[in-house]
Amino acid sequence: MCSPTNITATTLTPSSISIPFFHTSFTMENPLPIAVDFPNKNIRIEFDAPQADAINANSPNPTGDLSKSHRQGTIIPPHSLLPMPDAPPGLLKKSLSFPEKFDSPASAIGKFFREKSNSVSEALKRISSLTKDGNDDVEEEDLLVKEFDLVGVKVVKTLKQGTKELNGRISFFSRSNCRDCTAVRSFLRERDLSYVEINIDVYPGREKELRERTGGDSVPQLFFNEKLIGGLAALNSLRNAGMLEAKSEEILGTKCPDDAPAPPVYGFDEEGDETVMDEMAEIVKIVRQRVPIQDRITKMKFVKNCFSGTELVEELIHQLDCGRKKAVEIGKQLARRHFIHHVFGDNEFEDGNHFYRFLEHEPFIPKCYNFRGVVNDSEPKDAAAVSRRLTCIMSAIVESYASDDRLKLDYLRISNSEEFRRIGHPGGMIDRRPFFSDFMYVIGGHPYSLNSIRNGILRSNRRPPFSLIKPLTNGDNALELSLGKVNELIHFGMWNATRGSPRIRFFRCEGIESELKKAAREYFEREDGVQVDLARRRVYLPRIIKWYSADFCQEKQLPNWIINYLDASKAGLLTHLLSYGGSVNIAYQDYDWSLNL
């Protein structure tokens, strides 16, 4: 296990190669790479470049004598008095724009690289054999091979200067928002050491393993292969005693055994509470298979995958051996807990020719990324439960893949992470375009998009910028949650993955007002936040305020409002500007839409 370095290439810089081609020539000024390093594998691949003489030997110029104008790329047309050659009898006349096929210098280069690509593929297979650690038949001396030759390819396995090759695995158990876990993570990153993090908040099923391995549930707990090192205090003790490097080389010099903590795997380590089923869930599991689910027409509308209230009541009576009154009461409980919904959104369940459908048959379900696409045998989670779950996972992602100031994120590593898979995410570029409207979560049995939460609930169902449509329509369940008054500070606590947005952060119900004020102060302190120009009597404000002007006070009152959230320096300048009377010009800064990589 070695520290990654930048990929480098050793290049050949011969004199320029002039290549005649179709009565013209061009000069290859760029050097040809003949060696490439793969630092993650500590591999160096070298191969011979095609020589200029060999290329020119295959050119259509029989003499190989290139004039000065030819070498400089001047077009040399054939003499006008020379006759054009006729096609052989019986053959179609070929286009004059395409000459006869010959081994041109360009094709010679292409042929060279095609041949070498096969050798490189073979080399990569051999490289894999150097790094795999699961072959028990390989002798110890075979593992010491650092260099071998294939046809035209030389592969060298090298270590970064001053480092030892570590074949084992570093892993540690952690929790979100843990200061000691952050310290361990930073310690390993500073030394470019790869590690596997097992966050108990994200993978609650691994907490039992933590107790079995350590005898407790405290974190962090660091492992070198299967050997327990301990927490942050133990790590600091080894470092201060100068024993950490020797300890790591001693243990991690060997391949990782099977009994070491395993990395989280897709499809495993799933949430432990999702399989818990209560009495209502058991009833749903039974009647779902027996109630006739059909497409029907009601109130002049065509509705899919539904059943009538009477059909459900009859099936409940038959399966539970109960009276009709009891069956109707069970139906009402199923509706209140969102196992079933009325096709037109009515909440109360009724016996009769009223139509209902199971939650997994709702049209919005395919857009909901916290619904696994299988039959729903458990009660939909309420907002508090979904929020807790998302906070744990998002905290783990930010702690693992964000910069210390949380202004930049490593999106490539995030996209490949197991934590990101558990949140759910759109697939390709087309899926990401309507991300804010079509990416939904089921909360309490109803769908919510980012647009409906921000503009429908937090902004009291106001239209988003450059839109003529309100996010929530009449009859939408989210209207019941819509705030009566908009708190303008919410805009400085929302992050949208661009450099111009506020930094990513999480808020708690208690103390939300003070946290939003802190977020506003941090945003206004930035270069693209608030700036005061005394000479021009101008105040530059974030463009977010202009986009969401309906949520703020009138523009002429903005300087008096914003002064409460400025640091002492900017507040002093703005106070000086306002105290001398006269008009104050308001301008808005450009917004940086680039991704915050």
Side-chain angles (χ1 to χ4, degrees):
M1 186 171 56
C2 301
S3 304
T5 58
N6 294 328
I7 293 180
T8 59
T10 303
T11 56
L12 177 67
T13 54
S15 58
S16 300
I17 303 175
S18 181
I19 304 177
F21 188 59
F22 300 161
H23 296 291
T24 185
S25 66
F26 63 93
T27 302
M28 297 180 61
E29 298 292 348
N30 296 327
L32 297 175
I34 63 168
V36 179
D37 293 334
F38 295 84
N40 290 336
K41 296 294 186 181
N42 298 310
I43 299 299
R44 178 183 182 84
I45 299 180
E46 303 175 358
F47 52 89
D48 298 329
Q51 301 299 319
D53 295 341
I55 293 176
N56 290 331
N58 294 324
S59 70
N61 188 339
T63 63
D65 184 19
L66 303 177
S67 66
K68 180 178 180 181
S69 62
H70 218 82
R71 289 192 300 271
Q72 293 178 347
T74 305
I75 298 177
I76 304 177
H79 197 280
S80 59
L81 297 180
L82 292 176
M84 298 297 294
D86 294 327
L91 296 178
L92 293 176
K93 190 173 183 179
K94 297 184 179 180
S95 172
L96 296 179
S97 61
F98 292 93
E100 295 290 338
K101 182 178 180 181
F102 57 86
D103 290 335
S104 67
S107 64
I109 295 175
K111 181 179 180 182
F112 168 80
F113 282 107
R114 283 193 298 271
E115 292 176 351
K116 296 306 180 186
S117 65
N118 296 329
S119 298
V120 171
S121 299
E122 187 66 26
L124 292 178
K125 293 180 181 178
R126 295 287 301 275
I127 291 169
S128 178
S129 67
L130 286 179
T131 58
K132 286 184 178 179
D133 56 3
N135 190 351
D136 295 333
D137 296 332
V138 178
E139 298 295 336
E140 183 67 24
E141 57 267 24
D142 294 335
L143 296 176
L144 299 177
V145 174
K146 302 298 181 185
E147 177 179 332
F148 57 86
D149 291 298
L150 299 174
V151 179
V153 179
K154 179 182 180 182
V155 179
V156 182
K157 183 178 181 184
T158 60
L159 291 176
K160 186 177 178 181
Q161 186 176 2
T163 63
K164 299 285 186 179
E165 183 174 14
L166 302 178
N167 298 317
R169 180 169 65 230
I170 299 175
S171 55
F172 79 97
F173 290 85
S174 67
R175 290 188 185 275
S176 300
N177 301 314
C178 171
R179 183 178 301 177
D180 287 356
C181 296
T182 300
V184 170
R185 196 180 297 113
S186 300
F187 180 89
L188 297 174
R189 285 177 179 172
E190 290 171 0
R191 288 155 179 78
D192 292 328
L193 294 173
S194 300
Y195 61 90
V196 172
E197 182 173 353
I198 307 169
N199 190 309
I200 299 302
D201 292 332
V202 179
Y203 316 112
R206 302 294 293 271
E207 188 170 3
K208 180 181 178 181
E209 178 187 352
L210 172 63
R211 291 195 184 98
E212 293 174 348
R213 289 182 178 274
T214 65
D217 57 1
S218 63
V219 292
Q221 293 295 335
L222 185 69
F223 286 80
F224 287 175
N225 285 348
E226 81 286 6
K227 303 292 185 181
L228 173 63
I229 301 302
L232 180 61
L235 186 63
N236 286 331
S237 297
L238 286 175
R239 181 188 59 182
N240 295 336
M243 299 171 57
L244 181 61
E245 183 176 354
K247 189 79 170 178
S248 61
E249 292 179 5
E250 175 189 352
I251 301 175
L252 299 175
T254 60
K255 68 178 183 179
C256 185
D258 295 336
D259 58 345
V265 181
Y266 177 86
F268 298 90
D269 307 314
E270 298 298 336
E271 297 82 353
D273 59 347
E274 290 198 352
T275 58
V276 177
M277 295 175 57
D278 60 12
E279 182 182 2
M280 291 293 106
E282 292 285 358
I283 292 174
V284 169
K285 189 173 183 179
I286 295 173
V287 299
R288 180 190 287 113
Q289 308 300 327
R290 293 169 174 81
V291 172
I293 299 175
Q294 301 173 355
D295 299 340
R296 309 169 193 248
I297 297 177
T298 179
K299 296 183 180 181
M300 304 296 293
K301 294 183 179 180
F302 182 76
V303 291
K304 294 184 176 183
N305 302 321
C306 59
F307 54 88
S308 69
T310 300
E311 291 169 339
L312 179 60
V313 169
E314 294 289 349
E315 193 60 41
L316 289 172
I317 293 173
H318 175 71
Q319 295 295 331
L320 303 180
D321 192 20
C322 63
R324 197 169 198 87
K325 184 177 180 180
K326 176 66 174 177
V328 172
E329 181 59 32
I330 293 175
K332 291 181 178 180
Q333 292 185 45
L334 294 177
R336 284 194 292 267
R337 296 176 60 178
H338 302 290
F339 286 103
I340 62 174
H341 284 162
H342 190 276
V343 292
F344 297 132
D346 297 336
N347 291 327
E348 191 67 20
F349 176 81
E350 297 182 41
D351 186 5
N353 198 33
H354 308 280
F355 295 107
Y356 304 84
R357 60 166 65 99
F358 290 105
L359 177 61
E360 62 265 24
H361 294 151
E362 289 283 8
F364 57 76
I365 284 298
K367 297 181 179 180
C368 296
Y369 286 80
N370 63 330
F371 197 91
R372 295 179 179 270
V374 296
V375 292
N376 180 27
D377 290 329
S378 59
E379 180 181 2
K381 302 293 187 298
D382 58 21
V386 174
S387 176
R388 286 193 299 268
R389 183 65 183 156
L390 283 177
T391 300
C392 287
I393 298 178
M394 288 300 299
S395 296
I397 290 177
V398 171
E399 290 171 352
S400 298
Y401 308 112
S403 59
D404 293 337
D405 57 7
R406 295 194 176 184
L407 291 176
K408 298 180 180 180
L409 281 88
D410 189 341
Y411 289 100
L412 179 60
R413 292 181 62 204
I414 290 176
S415 64
N416 295 324
S417 70
E418 176 68 6
E419 294 91 344
F420 195 47
R421 181 196 68 79
R422 289 167 185 267
I423 293 179
H425 55 87
M429 183 63 69
I430 296 178
D431 297 329
R432 292 188 175 100
R433 293 181 63 184
F435 175 77
F436 290 94
S437 297
D438 290 351
F439 185 93
M440 297 182 180
Y441 258 63
V442 174
I443 303 175
H446 299 290
Y448 293 89
S449 67
L450 297 176
N451 181 41
S452 65
I453 293 173
R454 176 171 190 162
N455 298 299
I457 297 176
L458 298 179
R459 297 189 61 235
S460 191
N461 202 28
R462 294 180 178 178
R463 290 186 293 269
F466 315 112
S467 176
L468 301 177
I469 303 174
K470 291 185 176 181
L472 303 179
T473 58
N474 293 334
D476 198 314
N477 291 277
L479 280 174
E480 301 176 4
L481 306 175
S482 183
L483 300 180
K485 182 181 179 181
V486 180
N487 185 343
E488 61 272 10
L489 296 177
I490 62 172
H491 298 292
F492 309 111
M494 295 187 186
W495 170 80
N496 63 3
T498 64
R499 294 188 177 183
S501 74
R503 75 177 181 89
I504 188 170
R505 66 203 313 145
F506 303 97
F507 297 93
R508 300 167 297 170
C509 295
E510 60 278 5
I512 182 66
E513 186 70 20
S514 61
E515 291 183 16
L516 284 174
K517 289 180 179 179
K518 180 181 179 181
R521 292 189 183 98
E522 287 184 3
Y523 191 64
F524 292 157
E525 289 175 3
R526 291 166 35 168
E527 289 294 325
D528 57 349
V530 175
Q531 299 294 335
V532 181
D533 188 341
L534 291 178
R536 298 183 179 182
R537 297 188 58 80
R538 181 173 297 173
V539 179
Y540 295 90
L541 302 180
R543 191 159 291 269
I544 291 177
I545 295 179
K546 182 177 181 61
W547 290 334
Y548 295 97
S549 58
D551 301 342
F552 293 86
C553 56
Q554 295 182 1
E555 188 175 74
K556 63 181 181 181
Q557 298 174 343
L558 283 174
N560 292 297
W561 174 82
I562 211 167
I563 199 172
N564 299 309
Y565 304 100
L566 299 181
D567 57 29
S569 175
K570 291 182 179 179
L573 292 174
L574 186 54
T575 301
H576 179 77
L577 185 63
L578 295 174
S579 62
Y580 279 86
S583 61
V584 176
N585 300 319
I586 301 295
Y588 297 95
Q589 305 226 50
D590 293 334
Y591 190 87
D592 190 348
W593 285 101
S594 58
L595 205 62
N596 60 333
L597 294 171

